[in-house]
Amino acid sequence: MVHGIGATPSTFGPMKEALLREASGFDRHTDWQFTSFSYDTGNDTKDVMDFARELGDFITKKFDEQGGLHHEDKFSLIMHSQGGLIGLNLVLNSFKGHTDFHPKLKNHIDAFITLGTPYWGAKVAIFANRMMPILAYLKIPLKDKWGDEELRDMELASDFSSMMREEIITPDNSEIIQQIKNQVRFLVFSGVTERLNFLAPFATGKGRYEDDTAVPIPSSRLDF
């Protein structure tokens, strides 16, 4: 499980216990394990790609602690918000064979599940970035939760989201994308909240508030 920007593994509440209970009832012969990846969100010098490398290191270490990866071993990712961007870039670069992203993992990923991930960015990240100097001046601790680089990556139409989109749609990567689609099971969740529409001018500039408090529905679709 991979949390989002400015968050911690507590984001997922009792999900670990619930998943273990369900998995045990589904298949008692499989060694199910559930763990959370906690990364240095709020670090001004790190971005999504840094966290993606660290996620690959984390997964590899977990398997190494139990004797290494075996042919039958599988892992799945459950990610919230920025966590989905981290996971996606790990998967893309692992399949592309980049050594920093542990290419051996590509043969073992099963499911890829995201909850409110801004694949193509969110306007509210632009608003938050502009608020950073004010928060710092007022000594409001939120500044310590959102790193400059990671927040910039999450802005709508950021250089990072454009680069990621190009990686997915460029013909040069079509064979790799097809391999990922053939192997990995994708499940994408989005949330809608209409009760906060009165805040729309502060987040979107129009009549509808961005969903999941940050992510517009189209941006939360990987196939946007």
Side-chain angles (χ1 to χ4, degrees), residues 97-124:
H98 292 170
T99 55
D100 287 353
F101 296 87
H102 302 276
K104 65 181 180 181
L105 293 178
K106 71 178 184 180
N107 298 318
H108 300 273
I109 182 168
D110 181 17
F112 185 99
I113 302 166
T114 57
L115 317 169
T117 287
Y119 288 108
W120 316 121
K123 290 181 182 178
V124 76

Side-chain angles (χ1 to χ4, degrees), residues 42-89:
N43 187 324
D44 286 336
T45 66
K46 292 187 176 182
D47 57 19
V48 169
M49 298 301 284
D50 292 320
F51 299 139
R53 291 185 188 91
E54 292 174 6
L55 175 60
D57 295 341
F58 176 82
I59 295 171
T60 301
K61 181 180 178 182
K62 284 293 180 182
F63 279 110
D64 286 346
E65 287 172 351
Q66 301 182 62
L69 275 166
H70 299 96
H71 176 74
E72 67 276 11
D73 289 336
K74 298 287 183 184
F75 71 92
S76 296
L77 298 170
I78 303 174
M79 301 151 288
H80 176 245
S81 190
Q82 178 180 241
L85 302 179
I86 294 169
L88 179 62
N89 281 279

